[in-house]
Structure formats: C-alpha cells, structure tokens
Amino acid sequence: MGNTIEEMSPEGLELDEATVRQQFSDLLTADGRPLSQIAIEAGVAYATLSAWRAGTYKGRNDRIAAQVHSWMVTREARKRTRVAVPREPKFQQTPTASAMLDVLEAAHTLPDMAVIAGSAGIGKTTTAKWYQRRAANVWLVTMEPSYSTMGSVLSAIAEAVGISPTNSTARTSDLIRRRLVGTGGLLIVDEAQNLSAAAIDQIRTFHDRAEIGIALVGNETVAARFGRDRLSMEYAPLFSRIGQKFRQKSLTAKDLTILIDAWELEDDGARGVARKVGKMPGAARLMGKVLKLAFLRANNDGRDKPVQADVEAAWDQLGNRVEGGAA
C-alpha cells in the first residue's frame, strides 16, 4: 500500500492522491460499512465521494483527498483509543440502582405515578434505560430545555410511543392516549425538571385515562415540586397521585465500590482517587470520564492498568487540580 496513513502529510496529498485513494478503498473493505455512512463521517457528499473513489470526480480532487485523509487519520486514532481504553462497564445493579428499579417496577405494575430525583451522575438515566430494555411496554422520552410548548412535549412523547405527532396538540394527545390504553405500560419521562406544571398535568392525564404508570425522572427540582413543605397551588392536585418516590443526592460508599470494581482497578491509590471523584458532582459519569483518560495514559506508558498518578493526572487534565493526591 505504500506509505502508511500516519506517514502521509496534507502537504503531500496533491502528489500522492492515488495512494490516498488506494488506502481508502482498502479501508472500506476492512471497515465493512456502506460508503454512504462513511461519507457522512468524512463530511463529503455521497455522490462526490463515490465519484472521487472511482476517479471520475470533475471538481477539486485534492480537496476531497485531504478530507478523506483526515477521516482515515481520525479512524486510526479512534482504533488506537478503543484498544487502550476499556469499554464502559455494563450496567451495575448497585444499591442505588436497585432502589430506583424497585420504584420503576412498582409504578409499572400497580400502575402508579412515581418521582425519581437526584443529582447528576447517580445513574438515573442508565437505570431507566436498563429497565426499559428488560420490561414490556416501557417508553422512555427525554425532555429537552427547548421543549417550552405543549406541542413540543406531546410530539416527543408521541415519537417515543411510536406514533406520528400532528399539528393539533389535542389531536396528538388523543392519539397518544389511544396508543397507551390497554398496554399496562410505563412512560418514563427523563429530565422532567424541564417540564412546566401544565405539561406535567398533561402527562398525568395519560396515567388517569390510559391507566399506565408514569415515572418523572430528574434533578432535585423535580422532587422539590412535590415536597410537602414547598407544595404550590400548581402541583397540589398532583401530590396525591405520586405514590412512589425516590430521592438521593449522591452515590453511597457501596455504590462506589461496585462501580470501581467494574472498572477492574487494582492499584489502591488509583481506587482511592476514583472514589473521591465519584463523590463529587457528576458522580459515576465524571468518574467514568476520568478513568477512561487514566487508562489511556497508562496504555501510552506501556501499562495495562492505571495507577494513582494516572488517575490524578487524568483528573487534572479535565481542568480540576488534584492537590496532595486527593481529588
């Protein structure tokens, strides 16, 4: 094949376009994915890439070669990273996850309305997805900050349950209800802190009229809305309908032990820093980012597993200074 991808420089692409084209064709064979998907990744129109590969493109071939070369270099870098960094551990049924699963199961089978609230990174979304994969008629919809209208909320729910939304909110609501009736299902609404009181009340009607379970999942704001001490006129009508509640601000010590074990960390110092990171805002999510970087650093040093210095350096690399060996 001549020069390797790494050896080729952008400056030499005009003089070595044939090599780029040959390397690209060889990579396509090894990759096994359709050219249309590669075109999206490379940022080149499919028709253009197809013509360039065949040598029939009439435009600036040097520019396309440069883009293809960049894609190949990026692809190789990703391959090296995948080898160095272990995959994120599969779902771990920690005590916190088990408690959330109990709430979801109760909301599903009774059926009932539930609230699951807590800080970022304690596994709310991961647990919801795990439950969805293992139970029948469970729909998960994530509410984005941009969903400021009833129409946008209902459109998101409609798509989640497998129907096409309409231009009429009333019509879309009716279609959703008809889809849910008789399913005995569970609608999990993630990032529920982005919902207005009116939107939550609308979702409540699906529980009442379709007799399905509803789980509102989000940050502490969600729990505060239904707390007795802060119950407002807006949420008072919903208070009696919330039967299942889970509220937890951070992971427990047992949670962290299970999660760190799943990463197969062996060095006691590395485990200690990981534990401290896991206690900070962002919890397991933040710990996962730090450990991926730590594994990458260890691999670059010729080691399979990170030690304390790797985890500290990774934490520092994310913009958070580790002083005295503590995160």
Side-chain angles (χ1 to χ4, degrees), residues 255-271:
D255 292 333
L256 288 171
T257 296
I258 292 173
L259 293 174
I260 292 170
D261 285 347
W263 281 97
E264 299 183 355
L265 285 183
E266 298 173 353
D267 181 76
D268 288 340
R271 291 176 65 90

Side-chain angles (χ1 to χ4, degrees), residues 33 142 158 167 180 226 304 318:
R33 291 179 296 164
T142 301
N167 293 328
L180 299 177
F226 298 101
D304 292 334
L318 288 176

